[in-house]
Amino acid sequence: QVNLVESGGGSVPPGGSMRLSCEYSNLPSSDYYLGWFRQHPGKALEGVAAIGSSGRTSHSDSVEGRFTISKDTAANTVFLQMDMLSPEDTGMYFCATWWPSLGLKAYKLYVPNGHVGFWGQGTQVTVSS
């Protein structure tokens, strides 16, 4: 079965940096998409960034220029480097994968709105002074 395990969360002051990791296994296809999502307390799930098996990436407008998604295929791990963090970035961060037919940009609305695909348990990120 598909397995996704996030790590790297914690607490950081505003302006700081943090790197999240998601170790994945048993993806259903060699053609895949992996993404990071977050949920602020009391708010809907939000797509943050996504990466395909080809290496193609996409970042949401709210994190463009501050966050970077990448992957280490040999280690079966996808990363989210987060810089210039602000309190608005506080939330639970999830890693997920979905069916290739949905495409890369599905992370923006379709995947989080329908909670489709396979999801990890999440890791908490707190940005506070």
Side-chain angles (χ1 to χ4, degrees), residues 5-30:
V5 181
E6 303 95 337
S7 62
S11 186
V12 63
S17 296
M18 183 180 288
R19 188 174 82 157
L20 304 182
S21 300
C22 172
E23 188 171 349
Y24 56 86
S25 60
N26 300 321
L27 296 185
S29 170
S30 58

Side-chain angles (χ1 to χ4, degrees), residues 2-65:
V2 177
N3 194 41
L4 301 162
V5 181
E6 303 95 337
S7 62
S11 186
V12 63
S17 296
M18 183 180 288
R19 188 174 82 157
L20 304 182
S21 300
C22 172
E23 188 171 349
Y24 56 86
S25 60
N26 300 321
L27 296 185
S29 170
S30 58
D31 180 18
Y32 59 82
Y33 297 106
L34 286 156
W36 285 97
F37 302 80
R38 66 185 180 186
Q39 189 164 30
H40 306 290
K43 295 191 177 180
L45 207 54
E46 173 192 5
V48 174
I51 189 166
S53 52
S54 67
R56 183 182 168 209
T57 63
S58 178
H59 298 81
S60 69
D61 291 343
S62 62
V63 306
E64 184 73 54

